[in-house]
Structure formats: structure tokens, C-alpha cells
Amino acid sequence: GQSLEQPSEVTAVEGAIVQINCTYQTSGFYGLSWYQQHDGGAPTFLSYNGLDGLEETGRFSSFLSRSDSYGYLLLQELQMKDSASYFCAVRDTGFQKLVFGTGTRLLVSP
Amino acid sequence: KAGVTQTPRYLIKTRGQQVTLSCSPISGHRSVSWYQQTPGQGLQFLFEYFSETQRNKGNFPGRFSGRQFSNSRSEMNVSTLELGDSALYLCASSLVFSGRASNNEQFFGPGTRLTVL
């Protein structure tokens, strides 16, 4: 099976940089994704790492290291609207289903 | 292009009843996945349908079932409701079956909040 562990909560101030880690145990997967979910809202897709390394999309970057079974989401120039829950997810090569991490609640304060 | 829609948005049922939730994917999307979200368990995969066929199933009891219609709309049904079934049920659509997707992008609906009393 698969398991993806994330810190339950991270706090930061506006303008800061924050890193949300995701460590996983899975026998095989295609790539690591990140989703954002605001309270009361639907998860929205942020990024995908199919290969090891860094992917950058505006203020957000995501990193994957398969050898370390580890990935992270980096949020720069934090804004209040970034307060949300963030989930990492993998699609396993066996059952093909998307498995989500435990989720990290990010609280951005003024 | 309209997003994923789910109906109803809120539902209150009592133990032992059954419930049917509906999901309309983004136009052109043929894959629909269902998830259960609870504070304790996070986002748990229920099943995925593509071209009216169930392609994947999560670790949920047989009380949870679903189907997909020829227009890609999907329904999920929960029979003999239990208190623990109280959750946000999310539907997500994508263009292709997740096993053929180049990334893991799915488009989620707003969810149906089910409360079982």
C-alpha cells in the first residue's frame, strides 16, 4: 500500500517562505502532485513532479526526490489567501488510483 | 467551461437510510472519481469510473457503490447509513482514465456534505 505523511499544521507570516514536506512509502508511482483546498472549498490542482527535481509555477515550487522518498511544496511571498490545506498525492503504478497525503493546514498571519 | 457540479450540496439522513449523490463532470471529461473526506481520515479514494465502467475501487465496504452514465454523469449510493459515513463526498473529473493521465490533475466539485444522525 501507500502512505504519505505531511506535517499537520504550519504557520508563517505574510511575505515569508514556507516549505511543506511530504514523505511517502509506496512501491511505485508515476509522480507527485500537490493540491490546495480552502476551508469549505474544493481541492484544486497546484503542481506535478513526474521527474526528480524542482518545478516552478509562479510563487509556488514543488520538488521530488525518489531516492529519498520525499517531496515538498515551497510557497514564496506568502499572502493571506494562501491560508489553506495542502495535500500531496501520488498515483500508484499498481492500482492506478490517486492516493492523498494526510494534509497540512497552512496559517498565514499578518 | 462550467466546472464539476455536485448535488445536493448538503444532506441530512438518519442511520439505516440510503442516499444517492450526483456528480456532473466538466464537459468532455470521461473519468469521474469519488472521494470521502473526513477530519480524521483525510481524503480517501472511493472509486473511479471511465466510460461507464468502474476502473478502480478503494477500501470501502460494499454499502458504497456507484455508476456512470453514457453522458459521463456519475452517481454514488450509500446504503444502510452509519454515523461514521458523515463526511464531505467529493467528486473529481479528468479527461482520461487516471491510469493514462500524464499528470495527476483532477478537477474537483464543491462536494456534498452528508450528515448522518
Side-chain angles (χ1 to χ4, degrees):
Chain A
Q2 307 84 28
S3 68
L4 296 92
E5 296 296 322
Q6 302 177 234
S8 59
E9 189 172 289
V10 173
T11 59
V13 297
E14 271 188 305
I17 299 172
V18 73
Q19 178 173 311
I20 298 174
N21 298 322
C22 173
T23 56
Y24 57 85
Q25 290 185 337
T26 179
S27 55
F29 69 100
Y30 290 106
L32 183 71
S33 304
W34 289 90
Y35 282 78
Q36 177 193 60
Q37 184 180 28
H38 288 97
D39 283 349
T44 56
F45 175 82
L46 287 178
S47 68
Y48 175 74
N49 291 74
L51 302 173
D52 283 7
L54 192 68
E55 293 285 340
E56 297 179 78
T57 309
R59 295 188 297 114
F60 295 179
S61 302
S62 57
F63 173 82
L64 173 63
S65 169
R66 290 175 185 265
S67 59
D68 296 322
S69 297
Y70 165 74
Y72 67 73
L73 179 69
L74 190 73
L75 298 86
Q76 303 181 73
E77 300 172 19
L78 280 173
Q79 302 175 10
M80 296 293 289
K81 67 178 181 179
D82 297 329
S83 290
S85 292
Y86 293 83
F87 297 88
C88 58
V90 298
R91 180 164 55 84
D92 70 87
T93 54
F95 293 101
Q96 305 285 319
K97 63 183 182 182
L98 200 57
V99 179
F100 285 83
T102 50
T104 299
R105 188 172 179 82
L106 171 64
L107 301 172
V108 181
S109 57
Chain B
K1 186 183 281 191
V4 178
T5 58
Q6 292 186 245
T7 56
R9 292 293 311 279
Y10 302 91
L11 206 50
I12 299 175
K13 293 285 188 178
T14 56
R15 279 181 300 175
Q17 288 187 308
Q18 76 164 16
V19 66
T20 298
L21 312 181
S22 181
C23 171
S24 292
I26 291 173
S27 178
H29 284 194
R30 297 171 62 191
S31 172
V32 173
S33 297
W34 288 89
Y35 298 86
Q36 181 195 65
Q37 186 173 30
T38 59
Q41 297 298 315
L43 270 161
Q44 300 283 314
F45 172 80
L46 279 157
F47 25 67
E48 178 179 12
Y49 286 87
F50 180 79
S51 293
E52 302 177 62
T53 302
Q54 186 180 89
R55 299 302 180 109
N56 275 311
K57 191 176 191 307
N59 298 322
F60 280 82
R63 300 184 297 107
F64 291 81
S65 63
R67 60 178 176 169
Q68 186 180 35
F69 302 94
S70 58
N71 61 358
S72 294
R73 190 178 69 86
S74 177
E75 290 181 347
M76 69 162 281
N77 183 275
V78 188
S79 62
T80 320
L81 283 167
E82 300 177 359
L83 294 179
D85 297 334
S86 293
L88 180 67
Y89 289 89
L90 291 160
C91 155
S93 78
S94 56
L95 270 170
V96 298
F97 166 50
S98 62
R100 295 288 181 265
S102 59
N103 62 23
N104 297 336
E105 184 172 15
Q106 293 186 336
F107 297 83
F108 283 82
T112 294
R113 173 76 61 187
L114 172 65
T115 302
V116 182
L117 303 175

